Amino acid sequence: MTLAVRGAIQVSSNDADDIQKSGYRLLETVLSVNKVSCEDIVSIIFSVTPDLTRGNPATAVRGAGYTDTPLFCVQEALVDGQPGRIIRMLLTYRGGRDRKPCPVYLDGAEVLRPDLPPLS
């Protein structure tokens, strides 16, 4: 069965290293929380807010060894009032029906989904 889970993280600054570290941290947290192995990943889509211009989160993921995983990064639509410095992620993976995907929002991105309980 193919499943998908969302996540987001707010980056501390528009710095290539911060963007890459935050993107990788978001991926690793989503994988851990959802108990997804690297072999079960189908694809990963990242988006970044327009104020993140100095790096690409997919670069860090590719550099960490995800060489056979389809990765894609796009710019979020510019929407008045949206929080800045946000990386969003959509992870598609193979999994069973026994576990509902658990979204992950970190480091200030929790404001995007106030309906979700905080990670424990």
Side-chain angles (χ1 to χ4, degrees):
M1 170 175 212
T2 302
L3 301 168
V5 63
R6 290 285 316 262
I9 190 167
Q10 190 166 43
V11 182
S12 60
S13 69
N14 183 25
D15 174 80
D17 193 50
D18 287 345
I19 293 167
Q20 291 182 3
K21 284 180 180 176
S22 294
Y24 187 71
R25 179 168 166 252
L26 175 61
L27 173 61
E28 288 295 299
T29 304
V30 169
L31 292 176
S32 175
V33 166
N34 288 281
K35 297 179 176 40
V36 175
S37 69
C38 297
E39 297 80 31
D40 292 330
I41 297 173
V42 173
S43 64
I44 304 168
I45 299 171
F46 290 98
S47 68
V48 295
T49 50
D51 55 353
L52 293 178
T53 61
R54 297 184 184 247
N56 181 333
T59 301
V61 172
R62 180 78 63 223
Y66 291 79
T67 55
D68 295 328
T69 303
L71 301 173
F72 193 68
C73 187
V74 298
Q75 186 179 76
E76 273 294 318
L78 182 58
V79 177
D80 289 341
Q82 75 178 353
R85 300 181 328 276
I86 300 285
I87 297 171
R88 291 173 174 87
M89 184 184 73
L90 175 64
L91 171 71
T92 306
Y93 63 99
R94 289 179 288 280
R97 297 179 192 260
D98 58 327
R99 188 168 164 91
K100 182 180 173 186
C102 180
V104 172
Y105 290 79
L106 303 170
D107 299 348
E110 298 88 348
V111 300
L112 300 169
R113 290 294 308 269
D115 58 310
L116 296 174
L119 286 178
S120 48

